[in-house]
Amino acid sequence: MKLYACIGSGNCMKPWLALNQLKFDFELKLVDVLKGEQTTPAYQAVNPRGRVPYLVTDSGEGIGESNAMLWYLCDDTYLMPKDSIDRGLALQWMFFEQTRLEPFISPARFFLHILPDQAEARVDDIVEWQCKAYDGLSILNDHLANQEFMLKSGYCVADIALFGYVHVLEQAGISGEDVPHIVRWIDAVKATEGFQELDDLGHTAANAA
């Protein structure tokens, strides 16, 4: 398999973390989106949509969208809930992540952490993104008040999906003090076997070069 990803992306971390925790053989191919490499003919020959992350399977099929990649990778592994209701709940939280969290945490973090020199020009947007992110984080925090992971059955695909951007919430200017159950859950995910930090994505690529 080949994973096309960019350094620092929570969405790219999701399939990358699953691939590592499942001990799958794969090749990591970095795409520098800040330099526009996703728009080059070479990359668009791989993924015409010009988006990352992007997974090319062993059979040569391409899969876009980070949570779709997770579902494919985790199928029939310990990371996929066995019970049909639990699988439905996992999908529920994966949809929640893409509609109530990622669209707000990601851009706020982008301007505050990745391109801070542009943050002042987007201050009103950043405040709005933070407020909307906090609404979703409050729901997540309440959900985690009485259980270690997203599902009572244990660590699974849903935890990876939410972890990608939630664990960098402070880089989006959101205090972890307001969501203590999320902070506890972040530590629990980091303690799982085979866990890799987001920054390790870049280190892995550098070592492979």
Side-chain angles (χ1 to χ4, degrees):
M1 285 185 282
K2 293 181 181 179
L3 176 64
Y4 292 82
C6 59
I7 294 174
S9 165
N11 278 334
C12 291
M13 182 187 187
K14 298 175 193 178
W16 181 76
L17 177 56
L19 284 161
N20 278 284
Q21 291 198 305
L22 293 169
K23 298 181 171 62
F24 287 157
D25 290 329
F26 71 100
E27 183 180 358
L28 177 63
K29 309 283 282 187
L30 286 186
V31 180
D32 192 332
V33 298
L34 295 180
K35 293 183 178 178
E37 289 181 358
Q38 74 279 16
T39 67
T40 63
Y43 182 66
Q44 293 196 348
V46 176
N47 179 12
R49 293 185 62 200
R51 302 280 299 275
V52 288
Y54 192 68
L55 181 72
V56 178
T57 68
D58 289 332
S59 65
E61 295 291 333
I63 301 176
E65 303 299 332
S66 58
N67 286 350
M69 293 174 219
L70 280 182
W71 200 256
Y72 167 78
L73 292 168
C74 295
D75 189 36
D76 201 28
T77 74
Y78 78 95
L79 290 174
M80 181 61 69
K82 304 305 179 187
D83 182 81
S84 60
I85 291 179
D86 279 350
R87 288 195 297 273
L89 290 172
L91 282 172
Q92 167 192 293
W93 285 110
M94 292 169 79
F95 294 143
F96 178 87
E97 184 268 341
Q98 285 289 282
T99 58
R100 299 293 302 275
L101 297 173
E102 188 273 347
F104 311 118
I105 296 175
S106 176
R109 173 179 177 259
F110 182 76
F111 287 107
L112 287 173
H113 181 71
I114 297 176
L115 292 181
D117 58 317
Q118 298 184 23
E120 185 175 353
R122 302 298 297 271
V123 64
D124 291 340
D125 291 329
I126 291 169
V127 170
E128 182 178 359
W129 290 325
Q130 289 170 333
C131 289
K132 290 181 176 179
Y134 184 74
D135 288 342
L137 289 167
S138 295
I139 294 171
L140 180 61
N141 189 66
D142 289 344
H143 173 72
L144 290 167
N146 299 305
Q147 58 192 68
E148 185 177 17
F149 295 110
M150 291 307 301
L151 302 187
K152 293 185 185 300
S153 55
Y155 180 66
C156 72
V157 60
D159 292 284
I160 297 177
L162 279 99
F163 187 86
Y165 272 107
V166 171
H167 86 287
V168 290
L169 60 89
E170 294 201 343
Q171 293 178 1
I174 301 168
S175 174
E177 293 181 359
D178 297 327
V179 286
H181 303 303
I182 290 177
V183 172
R184 190 271 314 152
W185 165 77
I186 289 172
D187 289 339
V189 172
K190 289 183 176 182
T192 57
E193 184 178 357
F195 176 81
Q196 300 283 327
E197 293 283 358
L198 176 58
D199 288 345
D200 288 343
L201 196 159
H203 297 157
T204 299
N207 290 336

